[in-house]
Amino acid sequence: MIKDLHPNVVKDIAIAVALESESVESKVWYVYIINLKNETLENVLITSKGYGEKDGEQVKTSVLRHSFPIIEPNTYKLIEPIDEQTFGLNNEYWLSYYIGKEIFDKKFIFLPESIIDNNFIKLPVVNKPGVMIR
């Protein structure tokens, strides 16, 4: 039975952490979903959470849920702000969406210390510096 199911592979969708602004005192970071497809995403649901070890203790952040009725082709949506203190944790974003009647889902995980200057690119569509997982 399971072998007969068609796997719905997520392509041309990215989750990105972007540097919004920077001052001497602090940096402001936002997380975005980027739709690089030529198709509209519908009923988009995203859960986010952080987990891992910090200072020798296990740490978990709250699970946050976000929804967007649609995300147009070649556009992006702001998911949430993210605190720099969580960059030492695994930051997980679980995405589900529909295209027509087909459902797609994928888990995106920013590993500890992966959101660093050495990994920065110019994010497509958003046009800001940041780190992206496709």
Side-chain angles (χ1 to χ4, degrees), residues 8-123:
N8 291 339
V9 178
V10 173
K11 292 182 183 174
D12 299 326
I13 303 292
I15 302 291
V17 177
L19 178 59
E20 288 296 310
S21 64
E22 189 173 10
S23 69
V24 175
E25 299 87 33
S26 66
K27 294 180 180 180
V28 176
W29 301 87
Y30 287 145
V31 181
Y32 293 97
I33 178 172
I34 306 171
N35 180 7
L36 300 167
K37 293 181 164 299
N38 292 321
E39 298 175 279
T40 299
L41 309 181
E42 299 172 341
N43 298 320
V44 180
L45 300 173
I46 302 169
T47 61
S48 64
K49 66 180 178 179
Y51 57 90
E53 190 174 305
K54 189 163 186 146
D55 300 326
E57 293 187 30
Q58 290 298 314
V59 177
K60 290 182 184 177
T61 67
S62 299
V63 175
L64 301 176
R65 292 168 182 82
H66 312 274
S67 68
F68 305 97
I70 62 167
I71 300 178
E72 297 290 338
N74 298 300
T75 62
Y76 63 92
K77 295 280 187 184
L78 171 66
I79 298 173
E80 64 187 13
I82 186 170
D83 191 320
E84 220 171 352
Q85 294 180 20
T86 65
F87 291 175
L89 302 174
N90 294 298
N91 287 285
E92 176 183 296
Y93 295 86
W94 194 333
L95 166 69
S96 297
Y97 62 90
Y98 283 87
I99 295 178
K101 293 185 180 193
E102 290 188 85
I103 189 168
F104 297 79
D105 74 329
K106 182 175 180 178
K107 196 180 293 188
F108 298 82
I109 301 175
F110 291 91
L111 298 174
E113 309 305 333
S114 63
I115 305 168
I116 57 172
D117 291 346
N118 290 345
N119 294 336
F120 276 20
I121 61 168
K122 183 177 180 185
L123 299 172

